[in-house]
Amino acid sequence: MELSFDSVGFQRLFQRRPRGLAERSRLPVSPIHALAKDGVIVEAFSDSEDLQSWIGARVEDFRQQLKNRDVYVYDEDHFDLAWEESLSAPNYFQQMERMRSELRTLPLTGEKEGKRFVVDEHFLVEALRGGWNRVLPSSYGLFVRVQESRPHGENQDFVLIVKRGELSAFHRPDFSFLSAERRGSHEDLVKYLSEKYLVPIQGLFVPETDWLAWMEGATPWRLLAESVRANRSQLIPFRWSVMTLVATRAFLRL
C-alpha cells in the first residue's frame, strides 16, 4: 500500500545530508543547531556528529568551543511555538515549508541582530516550485531512482506529484504489479507511473555516487548536466525543454 505522503522516505532522500561523504572525509562540515533555555543547552544536533554531550553546557561555553563552526542556537520556547504552528499544515512538505519560513525570522540566542539560518533545500525539490513548472504542464510528476552501487543493493525510488503548483503526493512507488521484464525497463516504469497518476512523468535515473555528489556539491545543476552528458544519469523521456532548464542553471553555476 502506498502512502500519499511518505515523510520518512522524503526526508531520507531529499532532506537529510548524506552521512557517507562526511564520514569518509572525517570533516564535521554540517551546521550545528541547538536549543537553549535560561542560557543552558537543552538539545544539540548536527548531521555529521553526536553532540549530546553538550546538553547542560552554558551557551557561552558551547559557542566558544565550537567557534570555528556555523552554530545556530534558538530559544527553546520560541522554537517550540514555531514548530507547533507549522504542524497545522496538512502534510510534511508544507510543514517544512512553514518551518523554513519561521527559521528565517526566528531570533538566535547570543547572536548579533540580523544573523539568520537559511535552511538548505534540495535543488530538485526547490525546482518543483520555481523551474519545472515552466517547462512541464501544470500537473506532472517527477520520478527519481537512485541506483544502488553495491552488488545486490536496493535502489531508492521516489515519485513526487505536482498539481496546479502544489505538491499533492510524494512516496515510494509500488512496482510489484509489473512483470520482471517491465520492472527492468526504465521507459516502462515511467510509462506505468504516467498511466497510474494520469499526468506526464519526468524520470531521472542516477547512480548513487552521483546523487551523493549532488547533495554535497556547491553546483548541483552543473553536476547533473555533466552526469547526463556522460550518460551516467538518464532523463526519461528525454525532453529538450527539461535539459535546457538543467543546462541554463548549470551555466549560471547554481
Side-chain angles (χ1 to χ4, degrees):
M1 177 180 178
E2 292 178 346
L3 301 174
S4 294
F5 299 102
D6 178 3
S7 300
V8 174
F10 182 92
Q11 185 181 33
R12 181 180 296 119
L13 195 59
F14 293 104
Q15 294 290 105
R16 295 293 300 276
R17 185 185 183 90
R19 296 175 183 269
L21 294 182
E23 289 174 351
R24 285 194 290 273
S25 66
R26 302 299 180 186
L27 295 176
V29 294
S30 301
I32 293 173
H33 310 279
L35 302 182
K37 190 174 183 65
D38 299 327
V40 174
I41 299 297
V42 295
E43 187 60 73
F45 171 81
S46 172
D47 279 341
S48 58
E49 71 233 85
D50 183 1
L51 299 171
Q52 295 304 296
S53 62
W54 283 103
I55 294 177
R58 301 294 301 176
V59 170
E60 294 81 0
D61 296 336
F62 182 73
R63 288 193 178 282
Q64 179 61 29
Q65 291 297 320
L66 299 166
K67 60 184 179 181
N68 295 323
R69 300 283 300 281
D70 289 329
V71 177
Y72 302 91
V73 183
Y74 298 97
D75 177 80
E76 184 184 38
D77 293 336
H78 291 164
F79 186 90
D80 286 348
L81 180 60
W83 179 250
E84 289 175 7
E85 291 177 351
S86 74
L87 294 179
S88 63
N91 61 67
Y92 172 82
F93 181 80
Q94 293 180 18
Q95 289 167 6
M96 289 300 99
E97 285 286 287
R98 188 168 298 181
M99 194 63 192
R100 183 177 293 111
S101 177
E102 291 291 335
L103 285 178
R104 293 191 180 104
T105 60
L106 205 63
L108 294 170
T109 299
E111 280 288 346
K112 294 180 180 179
E113 186 65 26
K115 183 176 180 180
R116 293 290 183 269
F117 172 65
V118 178
V119 179
D120 287 332
E121 186 174 37
H122 193 280
F123 72 104
L124 290 178
V125 177
E126 181 274 332
L128 294 174
R129 294 182 285 102
W132 300 111
N133 57 1
R134 298 192 186 117
V135 298
L136 292 170
S138 60
S139 296
Y140 67 93
L142 174 64
F143 171 59
V144 177
R145 165 167 285 185
V146 179
Q147 299 170 135
E148 177 62 58
S149 58
R150 294 170 296 181
H152 311 297
E154 185 175 346
N155 297 324
Q156 297 182 71
D157 292 344
F158 215 79
V159 62
L160 306 97
I161 305 299
V162 178
K163 292 187 176 180
R164 295 178 294 278
E166 295 289 337
L167 195 58
S168 65
F170 48 85
H171 52 243
R172 286 165 287 192
D174 182 6
F175 293 123
S176 61
F177 296 101
L178 297 181
S179 66
E181 182 179 2
R182 292 196 68 190
R183 288 199 301 270
S185 167
H186 292 174
E187 290 78 6
D188 280 352
L189 294 180
V190 172
K191 181 180 179 181
Y192 168 77
L193 293 173
S194 296
E195 293 171 348
K196 178 176 181 178
Y197 296 107
L198 301 177
V199 296
I201 299 290
Q202 177 60 62
L204 174 61
F205 298 79
V206 52
E208 181 189 32
T209 51
D210 283 46
W211 181 263
L212 293 178
W214 302 351
M215 293 283 278
E216 292 280 335
T219 55
W221 288 103
R222 179 178 61 80
L223 296 175
L224 192 162
E226 290 176 352
S227 184
V228 173
R229 284 199 295 266
N231 204 33
R232 295 193 306 273
S233 297
Q234 292 179 290
L235 289 170
I236 295 178
F238 185 88
R239 294 181 171 95
W240 277 110
S241 57
V242 172
M243 192 58 203
T244 299
L245 169 67
V246 172
T248 299
R249 294 199 167 201
F251 177 76
L252 295 174
R253 297 184 181 277
L254 297 175

